[in-house]
């Protein structure tokens, strides 16, 4: 079995954040061109992530049945096509269709990347590699908004989607030449592709459920932050597109550093305690958001900084959580990694999209909406992790922490 090349896997996972982040500075302009509300343009992000999540149930079994390489090639091809469709969309409904297809494409490449890690590396190595993949994902939010903002200023927002299609051509070339099949010979792939029996053993495993919901909680907080930020900063506070890109990039670089430091923290604390630390940072984010909206604080700090500074804690918490939580969720499923990864992605992304979509239907301001999502579910999960009688949901025999 060939080892998967980490740089090649990083190329596969970059497609998803690129489709989310590159057009963020253009969202207010897109809303004006299509004559739609802010919540409607935010739905292009929510629908993309929801499609990416639901699509994983369909594509995950295909990765186990037919292999990782064919699914990767299909995903990159669909990504390029859907990006061109978005670039030429003359009505909002067609743009939404393009985003649904982009979500399906991105979920295919994401499944392949994370399944290949589980295919090729021992369980005690996977948390570190998942953190590195998440670190690569976080490079895009640091760079893409600035690139997207400059492209939009010169050529209009449609150039963002043309860039995505060209990037897909580059990835297709690399995957064709450098990515070999990694599916283990013992992978369970017999029987019907979408029979309930494929999913039941995974959905009845307590660790999988707990850590999937943990990933969903983190993703919901990040999605609210990403979708509300352009509307709040550009429309409400009146900052420029490039200034917004700079603020967003600063937090993204914090996220990158946290992702690459996370393996060391996880090694010292153990998976479970690292997840609990991440949840504590989410709650601290909510508290800081509310404190920084105080008029006294706003007189000292520029409003844009008062909004973005607490998000640094959110980014750090997100970086700390995803590696160990993903590793714990998938640890028991080496024989069906594609399907398990797909279910994890479905719960994480579609659940986060639903939460974010529901919050966007309220009249809450951006700071209050993000604070709400950062506080409620993380607090509940912390309480669960503090209960000894619920240890079978979140504690694992192989998770040896420094505190034990």
């Amino acid at each position: 079995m060939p080892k998967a090349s980490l740089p090649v896997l990083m190329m596969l996972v970059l497609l998803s954040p690129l489709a989310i982040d590159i057009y963020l500075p253009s969202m207010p302009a897109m809303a004006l061109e299509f004559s739609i509300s802010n919540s409607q343009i935010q739905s292009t992000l929510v629908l993309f992530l929801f499609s990416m999540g639901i699509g994983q149930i369909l594509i995950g079994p295909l990765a186990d049945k037919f292999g990782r390489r064919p699914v990767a090639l299909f995903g990159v091809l669909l990504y390029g096509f859907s990006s061109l469709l978005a670039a030429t969309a003359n009505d909002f409904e067609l743009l939404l269709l393009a985003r649904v297809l982009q979500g399906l494409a991105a979920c295919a490449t994401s499944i392949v990347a994370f399944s290949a890690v589980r295919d090729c590396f021992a369980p005690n190595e996977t948390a570190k590699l998942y953190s590195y993949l998440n670190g690569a994902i976080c490079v895009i939010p640091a760079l893409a908004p600035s690139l997207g903002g400059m492209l939009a200023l010169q050529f209009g927002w449609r150039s963002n989607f043309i860039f995505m299609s060209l990037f897909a051509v580059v990835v297709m070339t690399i995957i064709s030449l450098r990515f070999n099949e990694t599916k283990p010979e013992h992978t369970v792939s017999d029987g019907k592709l979408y029979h309930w029996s494929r999913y039941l053993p995974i959905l009845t495993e307590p660790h999988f459920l707990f850590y999937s919901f943990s990933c969903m909680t983190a993703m919901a907080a990040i999605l609210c932050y990403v979708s509300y930020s352009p509307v709040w900063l550009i429309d409400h506070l009146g900052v420029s597109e490039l200034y917004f890109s700079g603020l967003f990039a600063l937090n993204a670089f914090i996220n990158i550093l946290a992702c690459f430091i996370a393996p060391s923290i996880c090694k010292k604390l153990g998976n479970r305690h690292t997840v609990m630390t991440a949840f504590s940072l989410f709650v601290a984010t909510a508290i800081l958001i509310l404190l920084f909206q105080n008029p006294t604080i706003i007189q000292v700090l520029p409003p844009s900084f008062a909004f973005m500074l607490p998000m640094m804690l959110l980014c750090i918490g997100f970086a700390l959580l995803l590696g160990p939580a993903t590793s714990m969720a998938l640890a028991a499923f080496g024989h069906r990694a594609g399907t398990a990864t797909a279910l994890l992605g479905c719960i994480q992304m579609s659940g986060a999209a639903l939460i974010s979509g529901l919050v966007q239907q309220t009249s809450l301001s951006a700071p209050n909406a993000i604070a709400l999502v950062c506080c409620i579910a993380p607090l509940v999960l912390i309480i669960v992790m503090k209960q000894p009688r619920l240890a079978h949901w979140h504690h694992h025999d192989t998770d040896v922490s420094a505190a034990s």
Side-chain angles (χ1 to χ4, degrees), residues 4-39:
S5 168
L6 187 59
V8 172
L9 298 182
M10 286 179 175
M11 293 296 292
L12 284 172
V13 300
L14 292 184
L15 295 177
S16 171
L18 183 65
I20 293 173
D21 295 303
I22 193 171
Y23 78 105
L24 289 180
S26 299
M27 287 176 65
M30 293 169 67
L32 285 175
E33 180 169 330
F34 287 109
S35 300
I36 56 176
S37 66
N38 287 331
S39 64

Side-chain angles (χ1 to χ4, degrees), residues 79-295:
Y79 188 92
F81 167 77
S82 57
S83 299
L84 284 177
L85 183 63
T88 57
N90 291 319
D91 58 76
F92 185 59
E93 289 72 21
L94 190 59
L95 177 63
L96 291 179
L97 173 61
R99 293 295 284 170
V100 169
L101 295 177
Q102 270 194 317
L104 292 173
C107 87
T109 59
S110 177
I111 283 174
V112 169
F114 283 88
S115 295
V117 169
R118 188 62 186 84
D119 293 339
C120 300
F121 298 93
N124 61 345
E125 298 179 280
T126 57
K128 176 179 69 175
L129 291 165
Y130 290 141
S131 292
Y132 288 152
L133 286 182
N134 289 319
I137 290 173
C138 294
V139 171
I140 296 300
L143 302 177
S146 297
L147 173 62
M150 290 186 289
L151 286 173
L153 286 175
Q154 293 295 320
F155 308 106
W157 65 265
R158 297 177 188 275
S159 61
N160 296 159
F161 291 94
I162 293 174
F163 179 87
M164 291 185 225
S165 65
L166 295 175
F167 186 74
V169 173
V170 174
V171 177
M172 176 67 78
T173 303
I174 293 172
I175 297 305
S176 299
L177 297 176
R178 299 291 304 276
F179 184 70
N180 297 318
E181 185 57 64
T182 66
K183 186 183 78 167
E185 294 181 1
H186 64 279
T187 299
V188 176
S189 59
D190 54 337
K192 296 180 180 179
L193 278 178
Y194 303 112
H195 196 273
W196 180 244
S197 61
R198 281 186 175 273
Y199 304 108
L200 188 60
I202 301 170
L203 291 174
T204 54
E205 214 286 321
H207 290 94
F208 176 82
L209 290 176
F210 181 86
Y211 287 105
S212 293
F213 286 124
S214 297
C215 291
M216 180 189 74
T217 298
M219 186 62 71
I222 285 291
L223 181 57
C224 282
Y225 157 55
V226 169
S227 61
Y228 273 104
S229 292
V231 174
W232 184 257
L233 291 172
I234 297 175
D235 264 8
H236 183 76
L237 298 181
V239 307
S240 69
E241 293 178 358
L242 288 181
Y243 186 69
F244 163 80
S245 300
L247 289 173
F248 202 82
L250 176 61
N251 276 11
F253 278 120
I254 297 294
N255 202 351
I256 293 169
L257 291 175
C259 279
F260 283 97
I261 294 172
S264 298
I265 295 175
C266 190
K267 182 177 180 181
K268 181 177 181 180
L269 298 181
N271 288 336
R272 179 175 170 275
H273 285 82
T274 303
V275 169
M276 190 177 295
T277 300
F279 284 142
S280 300
L281 290 176
F282 289 158
V283 175
T285 297
I287 295 171
L288 281 181
I289 289 173
L290 297 178
L291 287 176
F292 280 20
Q293 295 309 304
N294 185 288

Side-chain angles (χ1 to χ4, degrees), residues 12-77:
L12 284 172
V13 300
L14 292 184
L15 295 177
S16 171
L18 183 65
I20 293 173
D21 295 303
I22 193 171
Y23 78 105
L24 289 180
S26 299
M27 287 176 65
M30 293 169 67
L32 285 175
E33 180 169 330
F34 287 109
S35 300
I36 56 176
S37 66
N38 287 331
S39 64
Q40 285 177 296
I41 199 61
Q42 286 174 319
S43 71
T44 61
L45 289 171
V46 172
L47 193 59
F48 170 85
L49 201 66
F50 183 79
S51 173
M52 188 176 174
I54 292 296
Q56 300 211 17
I57 298 179
L58 303 175
I59 298 173
L62 295 176
D64 282 343
K65 181 77 172 180
F66 301 108
R68 319 309 190 206
R69 180 179 162 85
V71 170
L73 293 172
F74 164 78
V76 178
L77 182 64

Side-chain angles (χ1 to χ4, degrees), residues 307-326:
F307 176 76
M308 291 296 281
L309 284 176
M311 304 308 163
M312 290 185 180
L313 277 184
L314 173 59
C315 291
I316 294 171
F318 183 74
L320 289 180
L321 184 138
L322 277 194
T326 300

